[in-house]
């Protein structure tokens, strides 16, 4: 679950060209995670940055998890 996020644009990305989206975990602990991401166009120019704080949960299976992986 996302607790908080922010997105900053530093340029105008083109939807008809490739964009590299690079995620980096900054801190994971206490059932929370803080991530930072950056987006660069084909020329390597920074066009956007994002941060996101997440709540991490144990024991909640993802949809379509096979019964053999759920344990007892």
């Amino acid at each position: 679950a996302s607790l908080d996020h922010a997105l900053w644009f530093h340029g105008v990305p083109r939807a008809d060209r490739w964009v590299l989206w690079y995620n980096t975990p900054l801190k994971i602990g206490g059932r929370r995670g803080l991530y930072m991401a950056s987006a660069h166009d084909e020329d390597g120019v920074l066009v956007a940055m994002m941060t996101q704080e997440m709540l991490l949960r144990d024991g909640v299976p993802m949809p379509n998890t096979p019964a053999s992986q759920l344990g007892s």
Side-chain angles (χ1 to χ4, degrees), residues 59-72:
V60 178
M62 296 296 290
N64 302 318
T65 301
S68 61
Q69 294 180 5
L70 293 176
S72 54

Side-chain angles (χ1 to χ4, degrees), residues 15-60:
D16 62 340
R17 306 220 20 213
W18 285 100
V19 175
L20 172 67
W21 188 261
Y22 183 74
N23 287 323
T24 304
L26 298 177
K27 175 72 175 166
I28 300 174
R31 297 185 182 259
R32 288 189 175 194
L34 178 62
Y35 291 82
M36 182 178 72
S38 59
H40 299 263
D41 67 14
E42 287 180 320
D43 298 321
V45 176
L46 178 68
V47 292
M49 293 183 69
M50 185 270 302
T51 60
Q52 182 174 27
E53 183 181 12
M54 300 174 62
L55 177 63
L56 307 171
R57 298 180 183 164
D58 290 333
V60 178

